[in-house]
Amino acid sequence: MSNEKTITLRINGKAAQATVPAHRTLLEALRGLGHVEVKCGCEKGDCGACAVLIDGTAVDSCLTLAWMAEGREITTVVGLGSGEAMHPLQQAFSDLGAAQCGYCIPGMIIAADSMLRQTPDPTEEEIRIGLSGNLCRCTGYVKIFDAVGEAAAVMRDGGETK
Amino acid sequence: MYAEFDLVVPETLAEALEAMAAGGSTLALAGGTNLIVDLRGRRVDPDRLVGLDRLAELRGIRANGGIELGARTTVTDLLRSADIAAAAPSLVESARSFAGQMVRNTATVAGNIACGSPAADLVPPLLVLDAEVTLASRTGTRTVALCDYYLGYKKDVRRPDELITAISLPRRPQRAYNRFYKLARRHGDAITVTGVAVTIAAEEGRCSLARIALAAVAPVPLRARRSEAMLEGKALTPALISEAAAQAAAESSPIDDVRASAGYRRKMVEVLTRRLLSEAWQSLH
């Protein structure tokens, strides 16, 4: 089976090369390249811990083959912002204490960002539907939903830092 | 992932059909939200996948009196389409409660049909909208009514060298009620326990068209044809609605599983069908 090749992935604006077989998932490739901010949870599309943006749309990287992501723009939670220049979603999660163990949060923020690109002024129901593919096993959903609502308001006021 | 296979990524439909015809065990990869899980679980073991991502010609929703859905139309595309909102409310309801956002962003209409799950949520709405499936191969194209597509549990009429390229919906009657109700443990990210879709049209006080489709209560998503036949040409009285709902339950053949018992599912077919038919008749009069 001639099924290994070197691919170029654009991750958070930078090109990276990986030599991977056809069956390697994007999740495995990203973590192999050091992007451990992308978390591995259920590996079947239920939990959303592995969510990344591909061309601005959230997908489960555990259900995406790495080869299929060639030539597309991949964004992880680190690519949205970090440290001194946090994304409004990251700022709101931090301000409202919307993380307990934190494992689900990278996926939550990616899913929320993808949802807000389409729905900048979401209702509570729309936030819940947007995050229905992200599980928090600490069950800390209330603060997570509040933080997304807060970030949406900041972003509508032009507060996006990036 | 431990499963091993080769992957080809054609740029055109002609190349894709060529790849599907190459023999061996070849499977089409669309959104991958079912297939990758099945590969990981070793429930399928193909030599080769044909990735359909680059085939822009298979994406898109076209209103042409009826509606034509490109095979790679995603569940999210359905939610963003004004044409679907106007022509297929049941499909919108199904899309809203379909898995989670990331799956909706990648899972395709054709993939939901092709996976053959009895609980495939887009299928009951498509059945009550009289959907037709276009199958293409290197040697030609054919169209199959969705209600004739499934032959049995995870068995369908598609040949291994064929791809679903489009799903078309005919124009719906002017005055029609079209709804889908998904009964599950929660509103998102949950497999359907019982799903019921209906289309009811009325003319001059009588039901002119009845379609009832059931999910997760038989080896395949199915139409409750005897129940439909009881309704057409009649005024839908509460007594007739109750009889037709009981008939729909009789046409189901559910099993016990981790989500619900067979008896509960059969009862829910009756309850949900009665509820949707009552609501339909009220909304049309």
Side-chain angles (χ1 to χ4, degrees), chain A residues 96-116:
Chain A
L96 272 66
Q100 292 180 47
C101 85
Y103 199 84
C104 69
I105 301 301
M108 288 281 181
I109 287 177
I110 289 291
D113 182 68
S114 180
M115 185 263 296
L116 292 177

Side-chain angles (χ1 to χ4, degrees), chain B residues 4-28:
Chain B
E4 288 194 13
F5 46 81
D6 207 350
L7 171 65
V8 293
V9 188
E11 301 284 338
T12 65
L13 179 59
E15 283 172 31
L17 295 177
E18 204 62 44
M20 292 299 292
S25 60
T26 299
L27 292 177

Side-chain angles (χ1 to χ4, degrees), chain B residues 26 34 47 50 83 102 109 116 139 158 196 211 225 249 258 263:
Chain B
T26 299
N34 277 307
D47 298 328
V50 179
D83 292 324
M102 281 69 74
V109 177
T139 54
R158 189 181 66 80
V196 180
R211 295 284 183 272
R225 288 176 182 274
V258 291

Side-chain angles (χ1 to χ4, degrees), chain A residues 22 65 67-68, chain B residues 5-32 35-36 39 46-55 58 72 108 111 136 158 160-164:
Chain A
L65 296 177
W67 288 12
M68 302 302 287
Chain B
F5 46 81
D6 207 350
L7 171 65
V8 293
V9 188
E11 301 284 338
T12 65
L13 179 59
E15 283 172 31
L17 295 177
E18 204 62 44
M20 292 299 292
S25 60
T26 299
L27 292 177
L29 172 68
L35 182 54
I36 301 291
L39 287 164
D47 298 328
R48 190 163 72 141
L49 302 185
V50 179
L52 306 179
D53 264 33
R54 308 263 163 90
L55 306 184
L58 294 189
R72 287 186 53 245
T108 66
R158 189 181 66 80
D161 66 329
E162 285 180 314
L163 281 178
I164 297 177

